[in-house]
Amino acid sequence: MDLNYSAEETAFRDEVRGWLEHNLPDDLRSKVLEYRELSKDDLRRWHQILARKGWVAPDWPVEWGGTGWNVVQRYIWEEECGYAGTPPLVAFGLRMCAPVLFRFGTDAQKQRYLPKIYSGEEFWCQGYSEPGSGSDLASLKTRAIRQNGHYTVNGQKIWTTLAHYADWIFCLVRTDPTREKRQEGISFLLIDMKTPGITVRPIHLMDGGHEVNEVFFDDVKVPAENLVHEEGKGWTVAKYLLGYERMGTGRVGMCKRELARLKEMATRQMKDGRPLLDDPRFRDRLSRVEVELMALEITNLRFLDQLRGGRPPGADVSLLKIKGTEIQQALTELMMQVAGPFAPVFRPVDADAGFDAFTATLAARYCNLRKATIYAGSNEIQRNIIAKATLGL
Ligand SMILES: Cc1cc2nc3c(=O)[nH]c(=O)nc-3n(C[C@H](O)[C@H](O)[C@H](O)COP(=O)(O)OP(=O)(O)OC[C@H]3O[C@@H](n4cnc5c(N)ncnc54)[C@H](O)[C@@H]3O)c2cc1C
């Protein structure tokens, strides 16, 4: 197997790298690298820069604005963005709702929603989880009753990421509570966040940031044409979408950037008169993470190749979610070890004390990343999925 880039691929990488160098605004890059909160305007600005270039949705069909890049080009793109420190693209529209609409949406729905997702004019959020219905999602209770051309929705969603930024929410709702099989009475609705009766309440995470919310629905009227796929078949849509969600959780490029930074920190930090990087126990831990990251990269490429062949991600994509999130956490754990007393919680930036803006926010980052093994379906649930669907246990 030849794992080197061809001359054309190297040229493509150089083009992407050069373009990012000139077009990623410095203030956005610093915010990402120093782990500062990105506002809606920050996220939209980067989205729109990419949309103007035609690079915001590489994996969409070309007729809808996709780039037509092959699997290696897409991989190079992700990796270069990770290295450069680009702000994330909000995945709920581009990488979750859009694939669902391409697969299940009517022509009218595609025409109405996709161009505005592409341009960044409308942001989306995901309304799946409810109190008591996270891992056991099929137990969800938010009720939608159809009458006179619209659904009336009542209930509550929780942990809704960026609901405070979103213009629209895609929601799983129960349209038929009488079905014996719980998965069968569920439908998939698109809901305008400006509709009367919707309340968004913030949940503050332990790093002090605000990214998740509770969303309440109180007699919210939703036009019946906002139903995606058939009524009662929302579970099929939900499962299709979850595969795409888990594809996006590996973050190999970003992990490589963080690994490089970790090595650099460990070279500067001294222990018993020698750089920490020379400490055999530290090197052992570092090497293990690096090897795992290389294995994740190859696995990621295998899944991308599968997508190129037109096969949607299956249950084994759970591997990416488990490994990717464990590596992200392991990297911040090692960084905390290197930074030691220079990374206490709530310490302000103080250049004289010998730590920089990145180290000052490290503890918050460490705390924030505890979420990674929970969202997009907890890692325990991913292991159950692999055991059942892939290993046949
Ligand atoms: C930061 C963050 C962002 C999120 N964003 C969104 C979002 O935008 N939209 C959305 O809909 N949801 C979102 N979620 C919700 C997320 O999908 C759920 O938190 C997750 O599915 C777990 O559900 P739960 O929190 O109800 O925990 P529970 O399901 O109550 O699980 C609690 C613990 O028990 C374990 N467990 C449960 N069942 C089993 C089992 N059968 N076998 C083994 N272990 C089990 C779990 O792994 C977990 O450790 C987000 C969550 C977080 C933390």
Side-chain angles (χ1 to χ4, degrees):
M1 198 191 315
D2 183 2
L3 293 178
N4 295 312
Y5 289 141
S6 67
E8 295 80 48
E9 287 159 355
T10 307
F12 176 76
R13 187 199 59 195
D14 292 345
E15 182 195 346
V16 164
R17 195 172 286 178
W19 187 85
L20 286 171
E21 258 171 40
H22 289 103
N23 291 280
L24 172 59
D26 285 343
D27 61 320
L28 293 184
R29 182 167 190 273
S30 311
K31 274 192 168 181
V32 171
L33 296 186
E34 288 163 12
Y35 186 64
R36 281 183 281 139
E37 200 156 310
L38 291 154
S39 67
K40 183 173 180 176
D41 282 348
D42 292 334
L43 294 170
R44 178 168 278 156
R45 182 149 58 105
W46 179 236
H47 184 121
Q48 290 179 339
I49 290 171
L50 289 181
R52 280 197 294 278
K53 173 70 178 165
W55 285 358
V56 81
D59 40 1
W60 284 23
V62 175
E63 63 273 25
W64 285 98
T67 53
W69 290 340
N70 63 29
V71 61
V72 179
Q73 289 173 308
R74 268 164 48 194
Y75 179 74
I76 289 172
W77 168 243
E78 295 281 334
E79 185 163 275
E80 291 302 318
C81 285
Y83 279 143
T86 59
L89 288 170
V90 180
F92 303 113
L94 287 169
R95 289 188 151 176
M96 295 194 214
C97 191
V100 159
L101 292 176
F102 287 128
R103 170 76 180 78
F104 299 100
T106 61
D107 282 345
Q109 286 171 337
K110 288 180 197 165
Q111 296 293 348
R112 161 64 188 83
Y113 299 110
L114 292 170
K116 290 188 178 182
I117 291 177
Y118 191 94
S119 68
E121 194 179 333
E122 288 177 349
F123 273 2
W124 286 73
C125 63
Q126 177 187 29
Y128 275 22
S129 307
E130 297 180 8
S133 304
S135 304
D136 184 20
L137 188 59
S139 68
L140 64 91
K141 295 185 189 63
T142 293
R143 186 81 167 92
I145 299 172
R146 186 173 180 150
Q147 207 178 29
N148 303 329
H150 63 251
Y151 290 93
T152 304
V153 180
N154 279 288
Q156 184 197 342
K157 297 291 172 182
I158 195 166
W159 306 118
T160 321
T161 303
L162 299 187
H164 52 306
Y165 289 176
D167 304 288
W168 285 79
I169 182 169
F170 53 84
C171 263
L172 289 178
V173 294
R174 189 162 297 284
T175 37
D176 185 353
T178 64
R179 302 300 288 256
E180 201 170 312
K181 200 166 172 227
R182 296 178 308 169
Q183 288 84 348
E184 282 175 4
I186 292 174
S187 299
F188 192 97
L189 282 187
L190 311 177
I191 306 179
D192 185 341
M193 290 293 280
K194 290 185 293 300
T195 321
I198 297 182
T199 309
V200 177
R201 205 159 70 187
I203 300 174
H204 292 283
L205 297 181
M206 65 175 166
D207 65 347
H210 172 206
E211 41 183 277
V212 288
N213 302 275
E214 293 177 285
V215 182
F216 298 89
F217 298 87
D218 205 355
D219 282 335
V220 174
K221 298 266 187 292
V222 181
E225 68 252 27
N226 291 15
L227 172 75
V228 176
H229 200 36
E230 293 166 45
E231 188 173 292
K233 297 273 190 251
W235 195 251
T236 311
V237 183
K239 278 199 303 188
Y240 180 81
L241 188 148
L242 281 174
Y244 282 90
E245 182 176 4
R246 284 163 198 164
M247 275 294 296
T249 43
R251 307 215 173 145
V252 174
M254 188 266 275
C255 286
K256 282 177 147 183
R257 185 187 77 219
E258 299 292 271
L259 181 72
R261 181 153 22 194
L262 172 62
K263 283 183 183 169
E264 190 251 321
M265 287 168 76
T267 310
R268 279 191 285 120
Q269 184 74 327
M270 305 301 274
K271 184 185 172 221
D272 301 332
R274 288 189 310 165
L276 188 59
L277 194 65
D278 290 347
D279 178 80
R281 289 213 315 216
F282 182 80
R283 283 183 83 88
D284 179 52
R285 288 193 70 195
L286 185 80
S287 312
R288 281 170 197 270
V289 178
E290 187 159 8
V291 169
E292 296 253 304
L293 182 55
M294 287 163 77
L296 177 73
E297 190 174 13
I298 299 294
T299 314
N300 210 3
L301 282 170
R302 273 200 299 123
F303 284 114
L304 283 174
D305 191 42
Q306 182 178 319
L307 275 180
R308 182 170 55 163
R311 276 174 294 150
D316 43 2
V317 80
S318 294
L319 273 173
L320 287 186
K321 203 279 163 163
I322 296 172
K323 278 292 163 197
T325 52
E326 285 179 354
I327 290 169
Q328 287 163 43
Q329 290 185 343
L331 284 168
T332 52
E333 278 157 27
L334 286 173
M335 282 179 175
M336 288 290 279
Q337 191 181 340
V338 176
F342 291 113
V345 190
F346 306 128
R347 184 183 282 250
V349 180
D350 177 357
D352 294 341
F355 56 91
D356 53 23
F358 176 77
T359 317
T361 55
L362 193 54
R365 185 182 178 77
Y366 169 84
C367 290
N368 184 277
L369 271 175
R370 302 302 95 197
K371 71 187 178 189
T373 45
I374 303 171
Y375 65 56
S378 75
N379 284 16
E380 290 79 15
I381 294 300
Q382 305 306 323
R383 288 193 165 86
N384 286 351
I385 292 171
I386 293 174
K388 258 198 222 152
T390 307
L391 305 176
L393 300 175

